Structures are given as C-alpha cells and as structure tokens.
Amino acid sequence: MSARIAIAGAGLSGAVLARQLAENSAHCIVVFDERSHIGGNCHTERDPATGILLHTYGPHIFHTDREDIWRYVGRFAEFMPFLNRVKAVTPRGVFPIPVNLLTLNQFFGRTFNPAEARAFLATRCDRGAGEARNFEELALQQFGRELYETFFYGYTKKQWGCEPRDLPASILARMPLRFNYDDAYYNSRFQGIPRDGYTPLIRAILDHPSIELRLGESLTRAARGDFHHLFFSGPIDAWFQHSLGRLRYRTVHFQRLEGEGDLQGNPVLNYTDENVPYTRVHEHKHFAPWEQHQRSVAFQEFSKATEAGDSPYYPVRLLDDKKLFSSYRNLAAEEKGVSFLGRLGTYRYLNMDQVIAEALDFSRETLQAWSDNRPAPSFPHAMGNSVLS
Ligand code: UDP
C-alpha cells in the first residue's frame, strides 16, 4: 500500500526519518518546514559578504562514539576531522576548558603530574555532603570553590538564567575533568565537521524520489486528515497550541563582528565572568580550517528565555517543566495518527548523534508497527517510560 506520510521539520530528526521511511516503504513522504531552509538548527550557509561558511544557529561539531552513526553520516557527506579546543576567558586569565592538567597547573601556578594534581584537587573539594543534589553541589565536590567560581558559576548563570544551585547536577556531568593534557572539548571517538557544512549533508539525506520537500510551510493539527500518519519534530507544546501552558526553552541570539585576518585566534572562547553579557564568541572560519579566507566573521552569543517568535534551543527541564511535559505526553498518547520525535518533540537535550540514532531506531519501530498493522508509536521507544526521565 502506498500512502502519504507527513513529517514536520526538515532538521536532522525529520530528514533521517524521511530517508528511512522512503527507502524502506512504498509511501510518499512529504517533509514540511516553516523555515525557508532545511537543516533545522544545524543549518549552515555561506556568508554573502565574506564567503565564510556560517553555522547560522551556533557552532555544531559532530561527535559520536558509535561507528554505525559515523558511517551513516559518512554516506551522505565528506567529514573533515575537527577537534574542538575551547579556551575560557576568566577574570584570572585565559585557560583551556574542559578543566585539564594544563588548566590546573596554570591556575594554581604548579607543575603537577596527573597523580599529584588529583591529590591536590581533592584537598580543595567539598567532599562531605553525600550525593550532589544540584549543579553547584556537584561542582564544589568535583572542582572545589575556586574553579567553580572561576569557570562555572558565571557562565552557567548566564546560559541558564538561574542560580546553578537550582539546576540538576546532570548538566555539569556533561563536562569532563581530566588529569592529563588532553584539551579536546569532547571525549567521543569520532569527531568532525562536513567539508561543506551541514545543509548539504541534510540535503543529501533528503534527496530521494519518494521525498517531497515543502519549505516555508508549517504543519498543523488541521492537516491530520490529509495524511495516513504525521510525525512532528517541532515543540510538542506548540502542536497543542500551548493549551496546557508553555514549556520553557532557552534561546540564544548573536551579535556579529567582522574584520581582517584572525579576530580571536581560536574557534570558540567562553567568557565565564558573570559581568560579561555574552557566554561565548565563535569565529566561524576556524570551523573550516581547510578553507582560506582573508576576512573573518565572529559572533558574540547571548542566552535568554524564549519568547514568542524566538527559536527554542535548550529545553530547561526543571521539575515544573518536566511535569508539564509529562502532561503533554499524556495528551500525545491520546492523539491518533501523530508521533513526536527529536529534541523539541520529546523535550530533551540531545546531541546530533543521539538525534540520528533515535530517528533510525524510530523508523525501524514504525516500519515494524505498520507491517504488523499497528499504528506507529507516539514516541521513540528510547525515550523510556519514566515521564520525568
Ligand atoms: N559550562 C560552564 N562553563 C563553560 C562551559 C560550560 O559553566 O565554560 C557549564 C554550563 O552550565 C553548560 C554545562 O557546563 O550548560 C555543560 O557544558 P556543555 O558545553 O555541554 O554545554 P551545552 O552543550 O549545554 O551548551
């Protein structure tokens, strides 16, 4: 049987799902995006003024431990090796971040080896408190007060718009602490950036005769009747017209800087001081060191709460938000003929490789359900059953 299937969102989730359904069924897949371009927040484009490849919604460095996912993206684009090496500009100087042996030795003015650094840091840490209940407690346990205040307090307050003690410890758990001189931002086995950016990668994923693309068009509940099934990768609360209230997201906005040569000498500098209004500055030609450009473009990145019209980036996921999400999740379970996926559809912070892995799994779950004459599941199985996960 051939039916019309709709997917809302031409970002990574929507594109990977569309491709898998197109390759493995006889259905016609119509992909909608309310923006005028594909790629979602991974979208990249050439700057008309300088020709530099810009990561329009902020820097994206692809990293994964999974060889199958690395191979999957390699099918559609050539990836260039790229290790993100970030420096933190602090009131006490400039240091490599994540905190590593060079950070520790320079910050404390010492020449420790790994074992000495570990023992020294232990004397600075607050180890009495038992299991950390929030970001701040975990930071004090792992890094001690001086490092916490210099590298994490101000940055986190700016990024999330609240006190770090009000955030879950899991946010800090994303950051490595290393007692060697490895200064790469991520630990993943495979890391890179597509030679020509993410938009050609996603264009190649969507390039299939059974996929029809409709840009500048949003898909609403009213369109349900036109399709056999509909997949929604936009914000789940928007699908339900925010009927239960708005889920909170952080968004970012950018201030452009342009000049000759090298503006800051590195792809990303984090500004950890609370009194500097932006969180970081990214200079985009440094994300494509295989290209030559005389001019340069950089962006100061500011973080704020999402208001009407802003693009949602990071789900806030504090307790109240998770409760509200679980109410939307119950509504979604009642919604016939519609599934939700992706970072915004499932209200979780997912890296690009996780988004791809989940879309691949979800397409298999969906195809299996259809072949058993069952409806597609409402959410990816990988999301788990815990409403507060
Ligand atoms: N963080 C910080 N200082 C830094 C970099 C990160 O305090 O220089 C904190 C911040 O709260 C951030 C968290 O560590 O949300 C995790 O860092 P990551 O780079 O994973 O942030 P994200 O990908 O969420 O932007």
Side-chain angles (χ1 to χ4, degrees):
M1 181 197 73
S2 168
R4 280 166 70 75
I5 306 294
I7 297 180
L12 267 180
S13 288
V16 170
L17 179 71
R19 180 73 185 208
Q20 294 308 110
L21 298 183
E23 281 183 359
N24 297 292
S25 78
H27 301 319
C28 169
I29 319 293
V30 189
V31 180
F32 294 79
D33 203 300
E34 60 187 16
R35 288 175 174 164
S36 59
H37 61 72
I38 60 169
N41 280 5
C42 307
H43 175 61
T44 48
E45 64 194 354
R46 294 266 163 209
D47 177 38
T50 63
I52 292 166
L53 188 63
L54 300 184
H55 296 218
T56 313
Y57 300 92
H60 282 71
I61 293 102
F62 192 85
H63 59 102
T64 186
D65 278 327
R66 284 183 51 173
E67 198 168 350
D68 58 333
I69 302 299
W70 183 241
R71 284 225 195 93
Y72 182 83
V73 292
R75 247 179 82 192
F76 299 102
E78 181 189 0
F79 272 71
M80 302 298 281
F82 187 90
L83 284 184
N84 202 19
R85 293 200 162 89
V86 179
K87 307 286 177 264
V89 180
T90 83
R92 297 188 41 178
V94 181
F95 302 93
I97 182 116
V99 173
N100 63 64
L101 193 49
L102 188 61
T103 321
L104 293 170
N105 277 332
Q106 290 188 337
F107 187 80
F108 292 109
R110 312 298 276 263
T111 52
F112 293 132
N113 68 26
E116 290 164 346
R118 193 184 289 275
F120 174 82
L121 192 59
T123 67
R124 302 278 166 143
C125 290
D126 172 6
R127 288 153 25 100
E131 198 186 336
R133 284 166 302 180
N134 58 54
F135 183 111
E136 181 166 282
E137 284 185 8
L138 185 63
L140 292 173
Q141 286 179 9
Q142 284 191 347
F143 295 91
R145 183 158 297 278
E146 288 154 289
L147 292 174
Y148 166 57
E149 286 179 352
T150 305
F151 291 97
F152 298 107
Y153 177 78
Y155 188 98
T156 298
K157 198 168 168 188
K158 288 187 287 185
Q159 168 145 352
W160 294 98
C162 64
E163 288 295 323
R165 81 175 78 90
D166 295 329
L167 291 167
S170 58
I171 293 181
L172 182 66
R174 291 170 60 85
M175 287 291 286
L177 162 61
R178 302 198 188 102
F179 294 101
N180 59 31
Y181 287 105
D182 177 3
D183 63 350
Y185 203 74
Y186 305 110
N187 288 326
S188 310
R189 274 170 74 202
F190 305 100
Q191 306 190 33
I193 292 180
R195 180 190 278 280
D196 297 310
Y198 291 92
T199 295
L201 163 76
I202 292 169
R203 189 176 300 123
I205 296 175
L206 287 167
D207 181 17
H208 187 283
S210 304
I211 299 178
E212 180 189 329
L213 194 56
R214 299 227 197 129
L215 294 179
E217 270 187 59
S218 48
L219 191 62
T220 59
R221 289 181 90 192
R224 272 178 305 172
D226 302 342
F227 298 95
H228 173 66
H229 194 87
L230 203 148
F231 295 90
F232 190 73
S233 71
I236 185 167
D237 53 331
W239 175 261
F240 293 105
Q241 284 106 32
H242 310 106
S243 57
L244 304 177
R246 282 182 181 269
L247 287 168
R248 287 187 301 163
Y249 302 87
R250 297 293 289 175
T251 190
V252 294
H253 59 103
F254 303 113
Q255 178 73 42
R256 180 180 164 121
L257 314 168
E258 193 182 322
E260 283 295 303
D262 195 353
L263 301 180
Q264 64 175 9
N266 204 50
V268 183
L269 297 184
N270 285 0
Y271 286 80
T272 61
D273 186 355
E274 190 184 351
N275 298 313
V276 176
Y278 39 87
T279 50
R280 54 183 187 162
V281 178
H282 16 96
E283 187 171 0
H284 287 223
K285 71 179 180 184
H286 294 317
F287 295 112
W290 48 92
E291 295 186 2
Q292 301 294 321
H293 297 276
Q294 185 46 40
R295 292 196 60 77
S296 195
V297 181
F299 295 90
Q300 295 169 333
E301 179 173 316
F302 300 80
S303 173
K304 70 176 189 69
T306 307
E307 294 163 65
D310 289 335
S311 295
Y313 277 68
Y314 299 96
V316 172
R317 287 177 60 82
L318 295 183
L319 208 54
D320 286 350
D321 306 294
K322 289 182 180 179
K323 282 189 185 144
L324 182 55
F325 171 68
S326 92
S327 305
Y328 276 116
R329 192 173 169 169
N330 293 338
L331 271 191
E334 302 290 305
E335 189 85 335
K336 298 282 171 272
V338 184
S339 306
F340 297 85
L341 80 158
R343 188 171 48 96
L344 302 173
T346 66
Y347 197 59
R348 286 172 307 155
Y349 186 69
L350 299 171
N351 293 330
M352 286 184 282
D353 65 325
Q354 296 170 305
V355 165
I356 293 172
E358 207 162 280
L360 290 171
D361 289 343
F362 195 39
S363 63
R364 279 190 284 271
E365 291 157 20
T366 294
L367 290 162
Q368 184 61 51
W370 286 344
S371 86
D372 298 344
N373 270 323
R374 288 182 285 117
S378 303
F379 289 97
H381 179 72
M383 219 180 127
N385 291 321
S386 161
V387 286
L388 297 183
S389 63

